[in-house]
Amino acid sequence: MELCVFQGTFNPIHNAHLRVAMHVLNMYNFDKLVFIPAANPPHKDCDSKYSLHRLKMAELAIRTNPKFAVSDIEYRRDGKSYTYLTIKELYKTYGKVSFIIGTDAFKKIETWYETDKLKELVKFIVFIREDNFDISKYDYLKDKGYDFEFQTLPYQDISSTELREKIKNGEDIKSFVPAEVEEYIKKNGLYKD
């Protein structure tokens, strides 16, 4: 089975995440694209009280697409949600997997936990998130054994941080998230503080 992984905090998941995932499915022949919300992300300060809500919102956001799935793999493991530990577990079943990542995170890939082991298990699909991005600056990573390719998609100006701020300020987020996610946020009174 050809598997692609989209890992993130998804705090909350929004339409730009889904757009990237659909683009990947259209560009590649993956059998499944699995969203993996980070239960306890090591690189981001993420309020733990929203952890299970983030998983539930991801499940709601993808339920109409049979090629999408959500995994709770990181919720079943104690400690920090290190990508290497998650991918190592998936590798046992699927072999090498593809991994969606933005340029903002890929810039820091050499600082990730067990990055030298991780690079053996994945092919990175790197989405360019800024204008005038110089792809050649990353050639040295190929020399170090990282397997990756760049993808472009017209930038959609949505960030989870901005969405949380909009919710806190009582602004409408209807055009930024799936209806089921918006309803879940309202029903559970999320991101009000």
Side-chain angles (χ1 to χ4, degrees), residues 6 19 21-22 42-43 48 53-54 62 80 88 104 110 112 121 134 140 152 167 169 177 183 188:
F6 194 175
R19 190 165 160 257
M22 276 308 303
H43 292 299
S48 61
H53 289 298
R54 292 186 291 104
I62 62 94
K80 293 284 185 190
K88 184 173 85 165
D104 52 339
E110 290 185 282
W112 284 24
L121 309 179
D134 184 3
Y140 78 98
T152 57
I167 294 163
N169 295 331
V177 297
E183 183 60 35
N188 291 280

Side-chain angles (χ1 to χ4, degrees), residues 80-103:
K80 293 284 185 190
S81 300
Y82 290 111
T83 299
Y84 168 68
L85 298 176
T86 301
I87 297 299
K88 184 173 85 165
E89 195 62 34
L90 293 173
Y91 187 83
K92 292 174 189 172
T93 305
Y94 301 102
K96 192 169 187 175
V97 299
S98 293
F99 186 92
I100 297 170
I101 188 170
T103 48

Side-chain angles (χ1 to χ4, degrees), residues 6-14 17 35-47 50-58 74-75 81 159-161 164 191:
F6 194 175
Q7 185 187 38
T9 51
F10 303 120
N11 191 28
I13 193 166
H14 53 66
H17 294 132
F35 290 80
I36 303 179
N40 187 9
H43 292 299
K44 286 193 177 180
D45 186 23
C46 211
D47 194 332
Y50 293 120
S51 188
L52 286 172
H53 289 298
R54 292 186 291 104
L55 178 67
K56 183 65 179 166
M57 286 186 285
E74 296 192 353
Y75 291 79
S81 300
S159 85
S160 294
T161 304
R164 291 192 305 273
Y191 308 120

Side-chain angles (χ1 to χ4, degrees), residues 137-167:
K137 285 179 14 185
Y138 292 84
D139 288 346
Y140 78 98
L141 287 173
K142 291 247 188 229
D143 297 336
K144 290 185 172 188
Y146 289 87
D147 183 7
F148 62 92
E149 67 181 73
F150 288 101
Q151 276 294 328
T152 57
L153 186 62
Y155 184 66
Q156 193 171 11
D157 193 16
I158 305 174
S159 85
S160 294
T161 304
E162 289 170 14
L163 284 179
R164 291 192 305 273
E165 197 60 33
K166 283 181 182 298
I167 294 163

